[in-house]
Amino acid sequence: MTTQDAQHATDKPPVPSRWLAVFSLTMGVFSLVMAEFLPASLLTPMADSLAISEGQAGQAVTVTAVVALLSGLLVTSVTQRLDRRHVLLAFSGLMIAANLLVAYSPDLIWLLAGRVLLGVALGGFWALSAATVMRLVSEHDVPRALSLLFTGVPIATISAAALGSYLGDLVGWRNVFLLATAISVLTLVFQYVTLPRMTPEHPTPLGTLVSVMKRPGMVVGIVAILLVFCGHFAFFTYVRPFLEGVSHMGINALSSTLLAFGVANFVGTLAAGYLLERSLRLTLLLMPLIMGSLGWLLATLGGFSMGTDALMVALWGFAFGAVPVAWSTWITRVVPDEAESGGGLIVASIQLAIALGAAVGGVMFDIGGVLGVCATAGTLLLAATALILVAVRTRPEASADRDALAATCQ
């Protein structure tokens, strides 16, 4: 074994205890994503309780996404000299405080304050998560570890969408956020026990973000990410008003449909691994095509029958399940040597898309109703499909390597 190989083995040993640490990060993903999207399933009761419109309540998602965008961009440079274990634990502590603020908020201002804290935790955690996973397991196990990490997303979607609406009707939306607080406490304790010390590998000043953006294919990929996630969250933020107002579902049918969405999303996440083994490009292309087509079908055929609407919403969940895994795989191929900065960029892109999606959805909801939201979401997703087909490169790292080699030879 060479010295370099020995060093590599020392840096990323695939020891069993590190898998517990990966699972603790999955719990962090679950807790954060659930807290982020609980307002989508509790939009109506939250608006009624705080005496605000549903459009204003939907901005609770928007403000979280905007702050998460900034947090994702700045976390690597602001915390570049701090142990990653301490940083991740601090984000979990912020999540607890955020959920408590929302649960006891007397008005919109306090609600948004809690969501700002959540945005800081969310953006920072997501920016560091993929790079942290790469340090917890061997290089060979990174795809499997990332798959485990992302299973927290659909499970959280099920909890936020189906259980959130159902429990909100039983015990009130404030108690749902208190339950989310309890889960966040358990997450913090588990992370404290399992996460090892992880000193920063090398300084990451803000200028690194610029250099990463200059990598071949990055700009087009980021634009595609913006379109895909903006389209999805334009629809998802207002899925409850669609099911209630267009499909005329009661609370039981609503909860069942959102549960089907979450289960399908989980299945889609699992199917992503199978699809990505065969073709990253096809996966990136097929999912927004399915979702965009469903958006226009919901806009034109929505309300035809409750069962048809429920099926289309579930299919949307399945398609979206593969999206985060596919784009995370893409980003690791683009910037494997700057995983934290690349992770920050993709988190910022997604959070900007969430903010834009929720904001655009709110505007379209007020102008053209929820059917206008569906049509807008479908248009954005089909535009993303066209961009991916024409311009997105799935192996930009090879080009970067060739450019570096050419520069060396000159």
Side-chain angles (χ1 to χ4, degrees):
M1 178 181 291
T2 66
T3 303
Q4 184 177 2
D5 291 337
Q7 181 63 38
H8 182 76
T10 302
D11 289 344
K12 296 183 179 181
V15 294
S17 61
R18 299 294 177 91
W19 285 103
L20 289 177
V22 173
F23 185 72
S24 76
L25 294 180
T26 304
M27 285 190 64
V29 169
F30 166 76
S31 303
L32 284 164
V33 173
M34 182 180 66
E36 183 179 15
F37 296 120
L38 273 177
S41 62
L42 299 169
L43 202 63
T44 304
M46 287 178 68
D48 292 341
S49 174
L50 297 173
I52 57 179
S53 70
E54 289 182 337
Q56 289 176 309
Q59 301 312 312
V61 176
T62 305
V63 70
T64 301
V66 170
V67 176
L69 183 158
L70 298 174
S71 178
L73 286 175
L74 297 175
V75 64
T76 55
S77 58
V78 172
T79 67
Q80 60 181 305
R81 301 188 184 279
L82 300 179
D83 190 310
R84 282 343 192 200
R85 178 179 187 269
H86 298 155
V87 176
L88 291 169
L89 291 176
F91 288 144
S92 294
L94 278 179
M95 174 172 56
I96 294 170
N99 286 331
L100 285 174
L101 267 179
V102 172
Y104 291 107
S105 58
D107 52 37
L108 179 62
I109 299 300
W110 283 98
L111 171 67
L112 295 181
R115 302 297 291 181
V116 165
L117 290 182
L118 183 66
V120 174
L122 182 73
F125 185 91
W126 270 120
L128 299 180
S129 59
T132 302
V133 165
M134 293 173 69
R135 297 180 64 179
L136 291 174
V137 300
S138 66
E139 184 177 357
H140 176 268
D141 288 328
V142 167
R144 186 155 55 102
L146 287 174
S147 296
L148 174 60
L149 182 74
F150 276 99
T151 58
V153 176
I155 297 173
T157 303
I158 295 172
S159 302
L163 292 179
S165 60
Y166 182 74
L167 291 177
D169 189 63
L170 288 179
V171 300
W173 68 270
R174 296 182 187 274
N175 286 322
V176 174
F177 275 97
L178 289 178
L179 176 60
T181 303
I183 295 173
S184 301
V185 171
L186 291 176
T187 298
L188 176 62
V189 172
F190 191 34
Q191 290 175 346
Y192 181 84
V193 171
T194 60
L195 286 176
R197 292 180 59 86
M198 292 174 286
T199 56
E201 292 184 316
H202 59 82
T204 51
L206 284 175
T208 305
L209 295 174
V210 178
S211 64
V212 169
M213 278 298 294
K214 292 180 179 178
R215 301 286 181 91
M218 275 293 293
V219 173
V220 174
I222 292 298
V223 173
I225 290 170
L226 286 171
L227 289 172
V228 172
F229 282 86
C230 184
H232 169 71
F233 286 104
F235 169 73
F236 181 73
T237 305
Y238 296 93
V239 65
R240 178 166 179 165
F242 173 86
L243 296 175
E244 289 178 328
V246 177
S247 304
H248 304 293
M249 293 185 181
I251 187 61
N252 290 331
L254 171 68
S255 298
S256 297
T257 300
L258 293 177
L259 176 61
F261 176 94
V263 171
N265 188 251
F266 179 76
V267 174
T269 303
L270 296 179
Y274 175 84
L275 294 171
L276 289 169
E277 287 178 357
R278 282 144 185 81
S279 175
L280 171 59
R281 183 175 180 81
L282 178 62
T283 306
L284 291 173
L285 186 66
L286 186 60
M287 298 307 131
L289 175 62
I290 293 173
M291 295 160 64
S293 300
L294 287 170
W296 274 100
L297 286 173
L298 287 166
T300 55
L301 301 179
F304 178 76
S305 75
M306 192 180 298
T308 302
D309 291 349
L311 177 61
M312 287 193 286
V313 169
L315 287 175
W316 186 300
F318 173 83
F320 183 70
V323 169
V325 184
W327 284 109
S328 294
T329 302
W330 177 82
I331 201 71
T332 58
R333 294 185 181 183
V334 175
V335 285
D337 57 323
E338 291 289 352
E340 287 192 356
S341 295
L345 284 172
I346 198 170
V347 167
S349 302
I350 292 173
Q351 295 305 321
L352 175 59
I354 293 173
L356 291 174
V360 169
V363 171
M364 292 306 301
F365 185 87
D366 292 336
I367 295 175
V370 73
L371 294 181
V373 174
C374 294
T376 301
T379 300
L380 291 171
L381 286 156
L382 292 178
T385 304
L387 180 61
I388 294 168
L389 178 64
V390 172
V392 171
R393 302 160 62 184
T394 56
R395 293 187 179 277
E397 81 289 347
S399 177
D401 292 340
R402 286 195 299 271
D403 292 343
L405 180 60
T408 303
C409 295
Q410 287 177 355

